[in-house]
Amino acid sequence: MQKKLVQRSLAMTAAAALGLGSAFVASPVMADDAPRQLDVQSDAQIQKALADVEGLNAYGTQGGELNIGVEKKTPEIEELEKKFENVTVTEGVKQLEAYADTDLVGGAGYLVDAGGGTGACSTGFSGWDGDGNPVVLTAGHCSKIINEESGLIEGDTSVDETEQPSTAPANGGEGFKPSGKGIAGKWGFTSFGSGGFVGDDEDTANAKPSDIDFAVIEVDDSKYAVKNGVTDWSSADSEDLSSSLAADISEVGAHKNGGIQKSGRTTGLTDGEVFSDYNDKFEYANVSGYWVHGFGVTSPISKPFSQPGDSGGAVFQDSTAVGVISGGGDYDANTSFTWVADLDHSIEQSGVDFKLKEPGDETPDAPKAPVAEDQTIVPKSKVTGKADPGAEVEVKWAPNSGAQAAKEGSETVKADEDGNFSLEGPSAEGKYDYSAVAVVDGAESDTTEFTVTVEKQDTEPPAPVEREISVDPKEITASDFVKEDKGVTISVKGFDEGEKVTLKVASGPENVEGITLEETANADGATAFSIYGTSASNPEAYLGKYDVEVTGANDTDDESALTGSFEVVADENGNGGGDDGGNGGGGSDLPRTGAELTGLFAGAGLLLVGGTAVVLTMRRKKNN
């Protein structure tokens, strides 16, 4: 209610009340801040109470109370509520808009000019594009001129006037009579089976995701407005289909098995059943020679779900828009069949930006409430939780018990891309009551409450283990190096439990480099690698010095690689043969990952060492 209208009504009521006498008897003196009773029997008293209040969208009196409906409480409304104990305020009541016969809703008829002929189709769903311009979704084939003999598309139709509802077939008329309200708009995006005739050539013989039956009408907003919802056709005689709706549409989504409804200019509001057995087998249907992605719907043949002229009509389940009518026919002697172009798929493939609320009028969806468990921390360590990625999280806390020196506080932190958030906890020991609210685009989530217990740390954390590397043996004869139970063992420690540890042969005999092995550190932060040769017939191929580097996946920039080396030498006879080399395990009980230097192999990846071809392979040994 506008303020000036309330005041005018107050003036008229007051003038009529001048002769009432006793209606204006003075009330007993009361404290200014004590709630009073409003005389709801007096229009003058009601109007006077409401005269300075804006934002009223509904009110009425019943049972001695004045009931007020507002979208959101203002300070004036809160003051009125405090002033009178019999005034009740209900929030969330929005201002309504008057319906008009120029409001385009789903299921209405519109005409198209096919270049010398006239066609009729049905509107699907009304809404807005990303720039706030009014649009209507419908079937793509309504925008095409199709040769009746060849089935080929020969051009585009143009959008004409809306159809006069009272004369439409859905209301028992002959149809095709213009409403006289002017041309509805023009075509925006249009597509019918990607424009490819089925079987015309190799490319169009097979269906593809872009085969949709979908079009957008860019509405002429100087003649028409768009109104969310689907007409039930009961108000057709008034020429205003927007005044009686079968459903308000709140979202676009995928269809579900079960009942389904449609509104169109030929058969009006109809019911059907999603043909789940058929849809489990088929995604595309041949509609007049063009593939269309969608789903099937059945109904009794005596009550068809759709008929010619319903093309483009709104198909919906409850408040969800699921498709537009594409085509249909008789399935058998008792069943009518309709193919529906699924709306979510069509919008995705077309890239059309479609909104059911005018941009700027949407109320942002409330984000999910943060997730934070009760937690015990040491003084000033992190309090953690999760929220929507990028959300601003408003965290408040107050001491619960045992924290007399502590103070309450608040802090706003931002959740990272994974939704994690953290903030420094209190320094004083005790229990704290925490609350967290996530805010995204101005919309607030529900509040999450949790308890944080701050306890003194009893012991100092263990000092980190120094990193160490051990190479055993550092020198080995070639004949021992080619024995799997010997070889060279490289043991490391000082890593994190479960950390990936990588060994790299940084250099070696000619052309031996870039060899890497990977292991996982055990609970003690340790692991081991073993390297040995497998060409026992040619052990001299491995002679030379090998330098290794070991790094961890958790290494920081200021941590250097562990380095070590070993050398494969010839025995007294030239190529080894002794049994006194290292034992390969170095006394370690860790699993050994073997890097086998396998000789005399042909093929890609061969390395040249001392003129002999060798290739590196990897293999894991069983635990010793």
Side-chain angles (χ1 to χ4, degrees):
M1 178 183 296
Q2 299 295 324
K3 179 177 178 180
K4 61 182 181 181
L5 296 181
V6 176
Q7 291 173 330
R8 183 180 301 162
S9 176
L10 171 63
M12 295 173 65
T13 307
L18 289 177
L20 294 180
S22 60
F24 293 94
V25 174
S27 300
V29 176
M30 302 177 68
D32 290 340
D33 58 352
R36 305 195 297 268
Q37 285 278 337
L38 178 67
D39 184 1
V40 296
Q41 301 299 319
S42 169
D43 286 341
Q45 293 292 327
I46 293 174
Q47 296 296 337
K48 183 177 180 180
L50 300 179
D52 295 325
V53 177
E54 296 184 3
L56 303 184
N57 293 323
Y59 81 94
T61 58
Q62 188 171 7
E65 291 195 349
L66 172 63
N67 296 295
I68 297 173
V70 299
E71 185 168 359
K72 191 174 183 179
K73 287 185 181 180
T74 63
E76 291 83 5
I77 293 172
E78 290 177 346
E79 183 64 29
L80 182 68
E81 194 175 20
K82 293 177 182 178
K83 186 175 181 180
F84 298 104
E85 61 183 4
N86 61 334
V87 171
T88 301
V89 179
T90 300
E91 287 191 279
V93 179
K94 298 182 179 180
Q95 176 178 308
L96 303 177
E97 301 294 337
Y99 288 115
D101 58 9
T102 54
D103 286 338
L104 287 174
V105 291
Y110 67 95
L111 307 177
V112 295
D113 184 345
T118 300
C121 280
S122 301
T123 57
F125 300 95
S126 296
W128 292 265
D129 65 17
D131 296 324
N133 302 311
V135 295
V136 167
L137 308 185
T138 187
H141 73 260
C142 295
S143 69
K144 306 301 179 184
I145 299 174
I146 301 176
N147 187 298
E148 293 184 2
E149 294 183 1
S150 67
L152 297 176
I153 296 174
E154 296 183 338
D156 294 332
T157 66
S158 57
V159 180
D160 207 330
E161 294 195 46
T162 54
E163 186 178 41
Q164 186 173 332
S166 62
T167 66
N171 198 48
E174 296 294 326
F176 292 94
K177 184 173 181 179
S179 65
K181 296 179 173 60
I183 293 176
K186 62 181 181 179
W187 294 118
F189 175 89
T190 65
S191 180
F192 179 37
S194 300
F197 192 64
V198 173
D200 190 37
D201 56 42
E202 184 177 350
D203 291 336
T204 57
N206 298 315
K208 50 188 178 297
S210 59
D211 288 336
I212 56 178
D213 190 0
F214 178 68
V216 176
I217 298 174
E218 297 175 350
V219 175
D220 183 347
D221 58 6
S222 68
K223 300 181 178 68
Y224 296 88
V226 292
K227 185 73 67 176
N228 187 318
V230 176
T231 183
D232 65 6
W233 279 93
S234 64
S235 59
D237 287 337
S238 72
E239 312 296 2
D240 182 9
L241 293 177
S242 68
S243 64
S244 182
L245 301 180
D248 289 312
I249 302 300
S250 61
E251 63 177 345
V252 174
H255 71 278
K256 300 176 182 178
N257 290 335
I260 196 165
Q261 291 183 288
K262 176 235 89 221
S263 183
R265 52 82 66 183
T266 303
T267 54
L269 182 66
T270 58
D271 296 293
E273 191 78 14
V274 174
F275 198 174
S276 57
D277 290 343
Y278 190 92
N279 299 329
D280 287 343
K281 300 176 183 177
F282 307 112
E283 294 181 73
Y284 299 86
N286 182 340
V287 179
S288 297
Y290 295 84
W291 290 120
V292 175
H293 189 281
F295 61 94
V297 174
T298 59
S299 61
I301 203 162
S302 59
K303 295 181 179 180
F305 190 67
S306 67
Q307 289 286 283
D310 284 328
S311 290
V315 182
F316 60 102
Q317 291 177 308
D318 298 322
S319 60
T320 301
V322 297
V324 296
I325 297 295
S326 181
D330 294 343
Y331 187 76
D332 55 33
N334 301 309
T335 307
S336 176
F337 179 81
T338 294
W339 190 251
V340 179
D342 42 358
L343 199 57
D344 57 339
H345 178 86
S346 298
I347 289 176
E348 178 184 0
Q349 289 295 314
S350 66
V352 166
D353 189 357
F354 177 69
K355 302 181 184 299
L356 288 163
K357 292 185 178 180
E358 188 171 5
D361 286 349
E362 308 101 320
T363 300
D365 292 333
K368 295 179 181 177
V371 176
E373 303 293 338
D374 293 345
Q375 47 200 282
T376 299
I377 62 172
V378 297
K380 302 186 74 173
S381 62
K382 295 296 184 183
V383 175
T384 61
K386 291 186 72 71
D388 286 350
E392 298 287 339
V393 184
E394 299 175 353
V395 183
K396 298 180 180 179
W397 63 90
N400 180 310
S401 62
Q404 292 81 4
K407 296 180 180 180
E408 62 183 29
S410 64
E411 184 177 348
T412 298
V413 295
K414 188 171 185 177
D416 65 19
E417 60 184 10
D418 296 321
N420 299 306
F421 69 88
S422 65
L423 66 158
E424 185 178 282
S427 58
E429 298 173 49
K431 286 190 175 182
Y432 294 79
D433 294 326
Y434 269 71
S435 66
V437 174
V439 181
V440 177
D441 295 332
E444 294 186 356
S445 73
D446 290 337
T447 301
T448 296
E449 296 180 346
F450 58 103
T451 300
V452 174
T453 303
V454 180
E455 294 181 347
K456 184 178 180 180
Q457 191 169 3
D458 293 332
T459 59
E460 292 296 324
V465 177
E466 295 249 351
R467 282 206 196 176
E468 292 182 10
I469 184 170
S470 174
V471 181
D472 184 22
K474 292 187 177 182
E475 183 176 287
I476 186 171
T477 61
S479 56
D480 280 348
F481 186 65
V482 295
K483 296 177 181 178
E484 184 177 351
D485 61 343
K486 294 190 176 183
V488 175
T489 298
I490 299 168
S491 305
V492 293
K493 63 180 181 179
F495 294 88
D496 296 331
E497 180 182 358
E499 182 177 0
K500 295 295 183 183
V501 182
T502 301
L503 178 146
K504 177 181 179 181
V505 179
S507 64
E510 185 180 359
N511 294 328
V512 176
E513 60 183 12
I515 299 168
T516 59
L517 298 173
E518 187 177 270
E519 259 302 306
T520 301
N522 64 14
D524 296 323
T527 190
F529 306 85
S530 69
I531 300 178
Y532 56 93
T534 58
S535 182
S537 63
N538 191 21
E540 63 270 17
Y542 306 108
L543 296 175
K545 182 180 179 183
Y546 296 78
D547 295 319
V548 298
E549 295 179 352
V550 180
T551 57
N554 300 342
D555 284 1
T556 59
D557 292 339
D558 58 354
E559 286 181 303
S560 301
L562 294 174
T563 59
S565 62
F566 64 91
E567 187 172 3
V568 180
V569 299
D571 64 275
E572 294 178 358
N573 296 325
N575 68 351
D579 292 325
D580 297 327
N583 62 13
S588 172
D589 60 358
L590 295 167
R592 297 172 61 205
T593 298
E596 304 169 358
L597 295 170
T598 306
L600 304 178
F601 272 66
L606 297 183
L607 304 173
L608 294 178
V609 179
T612 303
V614 298
V615 64
L616 179 76
T617 64
M618 290 189 294
R619 137 184 190 187
R620 180 181 295 277
K621 288 185 59 180
K622 296 181 180 179
N623 292 353
N624 292 331

